Amino acid sequence: MSFKSILQDVKGELGSISRKGFDVRFGYGRSRSHRVVQDCSVVVDAFKQSCWANMPPELLRDVLLRIEASETTWPPRKNVVACAGVCRSWREIMKEIVKTLEVSGKLTFPISLKQPGPRGSLLQCYIKRNRSSQTYYLYLASNDDGKFLLAARKCRRPTCTDYIISLNCDDVSKGSSTYIGRLRSNFLGTKFTIYDGHPPNAEARVTKCRSTRQVNMKQVSPKLLAGNYHVAHISYELNVLGSRGPRRMQCVMDAIPASSIEPGGVAPTQTEFHHSGLDSFPSIPFFRSKSIRAENFQNDQKEGLLVLRNKAPRWHEQLQCWCLNFNGRVTVASVKNFQLVASLENGVAGQEHENVILQFGKVGKDVFTMDYQYPISAFQAFAICLSSFDTKIACE
């Protein structure tokens, strides 16, 4: 049997098992299922009965390497996730093979959404808005209709607005096991805070909702921790009646050092979900990755935080409007459109200062593009873009 036929047989059996009982839909599917492995016994029993259970480790690793290298886009990349869910030995190999998003430029496991984007290139995504249900859906731009990544639901409150962010498009609630964070605005819609429901490490600092006092994670209950680890603050300058031109926004990334955008700079990279809400997924250690440097990253209070600001548009005399170059990714004029670059406050100059880290713009009535890159994650980029949707009484 040739190696090519072996590879085809493995893929075929993975597809067969997926149809029988394996469903990789944690945050990526469009089903009500919240489980990565719906029926572990079916998967294990099926592979015990197959010829792949006793495959030599060297040959197995070669096969899995070929699968990972060949399935570069979604939906075919679901085979890579399926391989990691087969059994412990397959999972351990996939942990070694699958690189972080920063290195590979590929979104694979759910934890990829919390990791910095690729270096040197924008990862193209888009957001769909449902006005009636006040929900927003983030998709990865792919060959088909797009790969679902995250969902958010707008919740109006007397003094603020919350956007609950979830890995499951059918269960967008803070009590869900797929809840990963939220965005909260003030009454005027001028200031926003991004809260992470899954602190990146055991010593992460959290902030109480009604207090600025910071406490250690070990001293608070899991209920308090849910959604109270702040990762960024967003502010829009007051601009009553639009007298000062287009919107002006600034983002202070509380978890990313300013040095991360410099050559050789490092941003913290989360390796796994720590929140207790994922206790229902005890068989998913493939969220970890050994190609990550997060464990070596320490928050240095003296080191400056990364500050992003929107790139100032230019007035086009002929068109009589403000313009930005989105390189064809934005086609409809909107006050919501923006590009974020590193602020001069970070002490950067030249190319690092001009590189667009996040861009967001309208392409249809309820469709918007969202492109981002290192050092921010898809979760952070999505939350920042959600702030642009919110009503701003005193900004325009």
Side-chain angles (χ1 to χ4, degrees):
M1 181 182 291
S2 66
F3 188 86
K4 184 176 181 180
S5 61
I6 292 177
L7 189 61
Q8 291 175 343
D9 287 348
V10 171
K11 289 184 180 181
E13 190 151 345
L14 281 172
S16 175
I17 290 175
S18 178
R19 288 189 293 272
K20 291 177 182 177
F22 190 92
D23 195 356
V24 270
R25 289 178 177 175
F26 179 65
Y28 287 114
R30 307 188 185 198
S31 165
R32 290 186 179 273
S33 171
H34 296 172
R35 304 178 61 186
V36 175
V37 181
Q38 289 188 334
D39 191 344
C40 296
S41 61
V42 174
V43 177
V44 174
D45 290 344
F47 262 78
K48 280 183 178 179
Q49 298 171 7
S50 73
C51 60
W52 313 118
N54 299 316
M55 182 183 293
E58 297 79 9
L59 179 58
L60 174 60
R61 183 179 179 83
D62 201 1
V63 170
L64 295 182
L65 273 170
R66 299 288 185 92
I67 292 176
E68 199 282 331
S70 63
E71 313 292 29
T72 58
T73 60
W74 288 90
R77 197 156 178 80
K78 65 183 179 182
N79 290 328
V80 177
V81 182
C83 287
V86 168
C87 61
R88 180 172 297 178
S89 61
W90 285 52
R91 188 157 53 243
E92 290 299 320
I93 295 175
M94 295 309 295
K95 284 164 55 179
E96 298 287 341
I97 293 175
V98 177
K99 304 302 180 184
T100 60
L101 177 59
E102 172 192 348
V103 176
S104 66
K106 304 171 188 174
L107 282 165
T108 306
F109 301 125
I111 194 62
S112 301
L113 301 174
K114 300 293 290 297
Q115 297 174 348
R119 286 182 183 263
S121 63
L122 291 167
L123 191 64
Q124 296 185 347
C125 307
Y126 64 94
I127 297 172
K128 285 186 176 181
R129 174 177 58 183
N130 187 319
R131 293 174 183 265
S132 60
S133 61
Q134 294 192 314
T135 51
Y136 306 83
Y137 304 96
L138 176 66
Y139 296 89
L140 175 68
S142 61
N143 296 331
D144 56 358
D145 293 333
K147 184 59 185 173
F148 170 76
L149 300 177
L150 292 169
R153 180 170 56 86
K154 185 176 183 178
C155 302
R156 292 185 181 276
R157 307 189 187 284
T159 59
C160 64
T161 300
D162 277 347
Y163 291 82
I164 307 300
I165 303 175
S166 172
L167 290 162
N168 191 308
C169 61
D170 294 315
D171 188 4
V172 189
S173 63
K174 194 173 179 181
S176 169
S177 60
T178 54
Y179 163 82
I180 64 167
R182 63 190 169 96
L183 173 75
R184 168 164 287 189
S185 75
N186 63 356
F187 177 74
L188 295 177
T190 57
K191 296 185 183 298
F192 298 79
T193 303
I194 302 174
Y195 295 98
D196 192 339
H198 303 278
N201 56 68
E203 298 297 330
R205 292 177 301 161
V206 297
T207 301
K208 286 187 177 181
C209 294
R210 298 183 180 179
S211 172
T212 57
R213 180 172 62 90
Q214 292 178 331
V215 296
N216 189 285
M217 190 185 209
K218 295 180 179 179
Q219 300 173 345
V220 295
S221 66
K223 184 177 180 180
L224 172 63
L225 290 177
N228 289 331
Y229 174 74
H230 59 82
V231 294
H233 289 84
I234 308 164
S235 61
Y236 289 80
E237 288 188 15
L238 293 177
N239 186 18
V240 181
L241 301 179
S243 59
R244 299 177 62 183
R247 288 179 180 177
R248 298 180 184 179
M249 64 184 294
Q250 177 177 276
C251 302
V252 180
M253 310 305 296
D254 298 337
I256 305 176
S259 60
S260 62
I261 60 174
E262 299 174 359
V266 177
T269 305
Q270 190 168 340
T271 62
E272 62 180 342
F273 290 110
H274 288 277
H275 190 264
S276 58
L278 287 180
D279 289 345
S280 57
F281 303 96
S283 60
I284 323 175
F286 59 82
F287 282 151
R288 297 176 182 270
S289 174
K290 290 188 177 180
S291 60
I292 312 201
R293 299 173 297 221
E295 58 273 13
N296 298 324
F297 179 84
Q298 299 294 333
N299 283 328
D300 187 351
Q301 296 289 336
K302 298 180 181 179
E303 187 173 16
L305 301 176
L306 177 64
V307 179
L308 304 177
R309 64 165 181 82
N310 67 303
K311 194 172 184 178
R314 297 180 179 179
W315 179 258
H316 196 292
E317 288 292 345
Q318 186 174 358
L319 298 177
Q320 289 293 296
C321 65
W322 296 96
C323 296
L324 276 172
N325 182 13
F326 288 92
N327 294 307
R329 290 285 291 161
V330 177
T331 58
V332 180
S334 172
V335 69
K336 298 178 178 63
N337 301 348
F338 67 81
Q339 291 180 323
L340 291 185
V341 296
S343 173
L344 291 174
E345 297 177 26
N346 295 309
V348 297
Q351 188 61 36
E352 288 79 14
H353 174 66
E354 293 298 324
N355 284 341
V356 174
I357 295 175
L358 169 64
Q359 68 177 19
F360 171 79
K362 193 172 185 178
V363 292
K365 182 180 179 181
D366 290 302
V367 182
F368 302 78
T369 57
M370 186 198 89
D371 305 335
Y372 76 100
Q373 66 170 318
Y374 191 90
I376 66 173
S377 67
F379 164 69
Q380 293 166 341
F382 185 42
I384 293 173
C385 292
L386 289 174
S387 73
S388 188
F389 284 109
D390 200 60
T391 303
K392 295 165 180 56
I393 299 175
C395 293
E396 55 218 24

